[in-house]
């Protein structure tokens, strides 16, 4: 972990820095479809952002994670849930544990808010280290169902729902 790393809640004043980090992080990858920066802005504009954190070093934003509201039904009842997307770290700072620190801090913030469950659509080799499991997500009908959709109960003692439905915030459906 880099010296001087600070993780804090994002503010409106961080919007341009977040946009720059997200664009740079996804520019040279085969991941995503390059709409991640627009997704962040749409989720925030729609009021669907639940937890938005930035990582700073010497006052410069070098990372961002956003967890947004989801519409989840589990075993016939509404369940509070959040989707992780995106997490981004400046290319020159990748591989230093910043993304992982942002994800862990975001999951802790969700727990404090009483959110029961979190989903992520991503790399099945990366996200299980944070507690995300495809086996749990497979119990839910979702437009994103498949091996890259993973979920976790934020209370590790909670029983897994038998099944249900999981829909991301409407902004995800508006992406091209």
């Amino acid at each position: 972990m880099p010296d001087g790393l600070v993780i804090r809640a994002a503010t409106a004043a961080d919007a341009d820095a977040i946009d720059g980090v997200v664009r740079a992080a996804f520019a040279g990858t085969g991941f995503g479809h390059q709409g991640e920066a627009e997704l962040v802005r749409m989720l925030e504009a729609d009021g669907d952002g639940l937890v938005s954190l930035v990582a700073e070093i010497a006052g410069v934003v070098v990372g961002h994670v956003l967890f947004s509201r989801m519409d989840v039904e589990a075993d016939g009842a509404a369940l509070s849930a959040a989707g992780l997307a995106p997490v981004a770290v400046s290319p020159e700072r990748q591989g230093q544990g910043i993304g992982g620190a942002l994800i862990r801090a975001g999951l802790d913030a969700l727990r404090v808010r009483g959110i029961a469950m979190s989903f992520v659509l991503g790399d099945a080799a990366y996200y299980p280290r944070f507690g995300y499991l495809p086996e749990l997500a497979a119990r839910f009908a979702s437009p994103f169902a498949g091996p890259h959709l993973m979920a976790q109960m934020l209370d590790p003692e909670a029983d897994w729902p038998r099944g249900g439905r999981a829909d991301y915030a409407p902004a995800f459906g508006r992406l091209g």
Side-chain angles (χ1 to χ4, degrees), residues 60-117:
V60 176
V61 173
V62 298
H64 175 253
V65 68
L66 179 63
F67 290 84
S68 59
R69 184 178 336 278
M70 290 184 68
D71 181 15
V72 174
E73 173 269 316
D75 299 334
L79 184 70
S80 62
L84 188 175
V87 59
V89 176
S90 298
E92 67 276 7
R93 292 292 187 171
Q94 291 177 6
Q96 298 177 14
I98 296 169
L102 282 163
I103 292 168
R104 283 187 289 280
L107 292 169
D108 288 345
L110 291 173
R111 287 182 187 98
V112 167
R113 292 183 66 150
I115 304 299
M117 191 171 197

Side-chain angles (χ1 to χ4, degrees), residues 70-72 119-121 137-146 149-150 164-168:
M70 290 184 68
D71 181 15
V72 174
F119 286 80
V120 67
L121 182 67
R139 296 175 179 218
F140 291 82
S142 170
F144 300 102
L149 183 65
M150 294 165 270
R165 172 192 45 76
D167 293 317
Y168 278 85

Side-chain angles (χ1 to χ4, degrees), residues 35-52:
E36 289 82 3
E38 289 75 19
L39 177 64
V40 170
R41 288 191 184 267
M42 287 189 296
L43 287 165
E44 294 291 4
D46 291 350
D48 285 326
L50 290 175
V51 172
S52 181

